[in-house]
């Protein structure tokens, strides 16, 4: 998913929202996914995320679709693992006289993977339409959160696109050397990818060290609430977005 979680410039309604409001809205949508016990509601959250991505522009929508398909591939594995280990409930059918598929296991597994997809998409959307610097500066100026904590939060979110970009570069390097990383054999692919974890961690740690030195040179320890020049005022659109997301989380309780 290299590049799918990087910021994409735009002037849409969601781009113009306060960065802190975007974070809260993403949190409310994620929470509603785990509060609800309905499969249909989780599907509606996924559809709502796709609509928000479309409203942000075709580039963002294309990224959302790619992320959705990537999550679906992972969800297939998780779905099979869950459904095979849950034996409570009404038995639907038995495979090879030993594998039992129950109605409760089917419902739980499907809800589990839909929650995973629906809870992941809001954060990926926020990362695509918001600069990390705006998130940390907004948390510091608006809510008075110490810059160190805001920077730690944005750095943790920055690791997601950083790891994907580094992994893509390592993969291309290995493929240029003749290693068949695009094989269709799932087990062979895992065997080939495991040795790449070490160079991925080493290169990422080097970037972290370089980033830390750069932050120190820019006076990281002296930054305060008033250090930033950009202001992040709340507008009517921000309150409207918050009200919508709060209504969704309330609906998830009573749906």
């Amino acid at each position: 998913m290299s590049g799918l979680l990087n910021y994409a410039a735009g002037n849409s309604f969601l781009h113009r929202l306060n960065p802190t409001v975007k974070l809260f809205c993403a949190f409310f949508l994620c929470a509603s996914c785990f509060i609800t016990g309905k499969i249909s509601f989780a599907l509606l959250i996924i559809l709502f995320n796709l609509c928000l991505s479309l409203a942000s522009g075709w580039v963002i929508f294309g990224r959302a679709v790619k992320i959705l398909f990537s999550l679906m591939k992972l969800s297939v594995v998780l779905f099979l693992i869950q459904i095979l280990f849950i034996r409570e409930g009404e038995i639907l059918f038995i495979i090879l006289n030993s594998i039992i598929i129950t109605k409760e296991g089917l419902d739980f597994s499907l809800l589990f993977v839909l929650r995973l997809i629906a809870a992941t998409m809001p954060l990926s959307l926020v990362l695509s339409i918001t600069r990390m610097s705006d998130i940390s500066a907004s948390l510091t100026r608006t809510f008075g959160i110490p810059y160190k904590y805001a920077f730690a939060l944005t750095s943790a979110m920055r690791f997601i696109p950083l790891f994907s970009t580094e992994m893509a570069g390592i993969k291309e390097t290995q493929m240029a050397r003749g290693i068949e990383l695009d094989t269709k054999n799932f087990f062979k692919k895992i065997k080939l990818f495991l040795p790449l974890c070490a160079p991925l961690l080493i290169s990422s740690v080097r970037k972290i060290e370089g980033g830390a030195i750069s932050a120190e040179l820019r006076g990281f320890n002296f930054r305060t609430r008033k250090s930033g020049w950009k202001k992040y005022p709340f507008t009517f659109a921000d309150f409207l977005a918050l009200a919508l997301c709060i209504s969704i989380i309330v609906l998830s309780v009573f749906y």
Side-chain angles (χ1 to χ4, degrees):
M1 295 194 300
S2 177
L4 294 182
L5 299 177
N6 294 328
Y7 171 73
N11 193 35
S12 66
F13 169 79
L14 293 177
H15 278 88
R16 296 192 299 270
L17 289 178
N18 189 291
T20 309
V21 171
K22 298 178 192 178
L23 276 182
F24 277 110
C25 289
F27 172 77
F28 290 145
L29 290 177
C30 292
S32 65
C33 298
F34 292 100
I35 292 174
T36 184
K38 301 289 186 179
I39 295 176
S40 57
F41 192 85
L43 286 171
L44 288 175
I45 295 296
I46 295 174
L47 181 62
F48 182 65
N49 282 307
L50 290 175
C51 293
L52 291 178
S53 303
L54 182 60
S56 302
W58 287 106
V59 175
I60 307 297
F61 179 71
R63 289 184 178 185
V65 172
K66 290 180 180 178
I67 292 173
L68 176 61
F69 279 108
S70 299
L71 291 172
M72 288 175 64
K73 293 177 182 178
L74 174 63
S75 298
V76 170
V77 179
L78 296 176
F79 177 81
L80 293 176
I81 293 175
Q82 290 291 329
I83 199 172
L84 293 177
F85 282 90
I86 298 177
R87 295 174 174 265
E88 295 82 8
E90 178 186 351
I91 298 177
L92 296 178
F93 48 88
I94 302 175
I95 303 175
L96 300 176
N97 296 325
S98 60
I99 302 176
I100 301 175
I101 306 299
T102 65
K103 185 178 185 302
E104 183 178 341
L106 181 63
D107 293 341
F108 177 84
S109 303
L110 187 57
L111 181 61
F112 176 80
V113 296
L114 289 177
R115 279 174 171 172
L116 172 66
I117 296 173
T120 305
M121 293 185 69
L123 180 59
S124 64
L125 176 60
V126 171
L127 293 177
S128 297
I129 62 175
T130 314
R131 293 184 178 91
M132 292 295 178
S133 57
D134 289 334
I135 294 177
S136 57
S138 176
L139 290 173
T140 303
R141 289 186 64 88
T142 306
F143 293 96
I145 297 176
Y147 183 75
K148 290 183 179 180
Y149 299 115
F151 182 79
L153 174 64
T154 55
S155 297
M157 292 190 293
R158 191 179 287 114
F159 264 111
I160 303 172
L162 174 64
F163 273 170
S164 62
T165 302
E166 287 294 318
M167 192 61 182
I170 294 172
K171 181 180 176 181
E172 291 174 0
T173 303
Q174 296 298 319
M175 290 178 66
R177 294 174 178 174
I179 299 178
E180 191 181 1
L181 291 176
D182 56 347
T183 178
K184 298 295 181 64
N185 190 319
F186 177 75
F187 297 100
K188 184 179 179 180
K189 182 176 289 188
I190 291 179
K191 185 178 179 181
L192 291 173
F193 268 96
L194 284 178
L196 302 183
C197 295
L200 174 63
L201 291 175
I202 293 172
S203 61
S204 300
V205 169
R206 287 176 179 173
K207 285 186 176 293
I208 294 171
E209 185 180 2
I213 295 173
S214 176
E216 289 291 341
L217 292 175
R218 295 177 182 178
F220 174 80
N221 293 321
F222 298 99
R223 288 186 67 101
T224 63
R225 184 177 181 178
K226 299 180 180 180
S227 296
W229 60 271
K230 191 174 182 180
K231 296 182 179 180
Y232 302 91
F234 288 95
T235 63
F236 175 75
D238 296 318
F239 292 108
L240 183 64
L242 281 174
L244 177 61
C245 292
I246 292 174
S247 63
I248 290 176
I249 200 172
V250 172
L251 183 63
S252 68
V253 176
F254 298 101
Y255 181 73

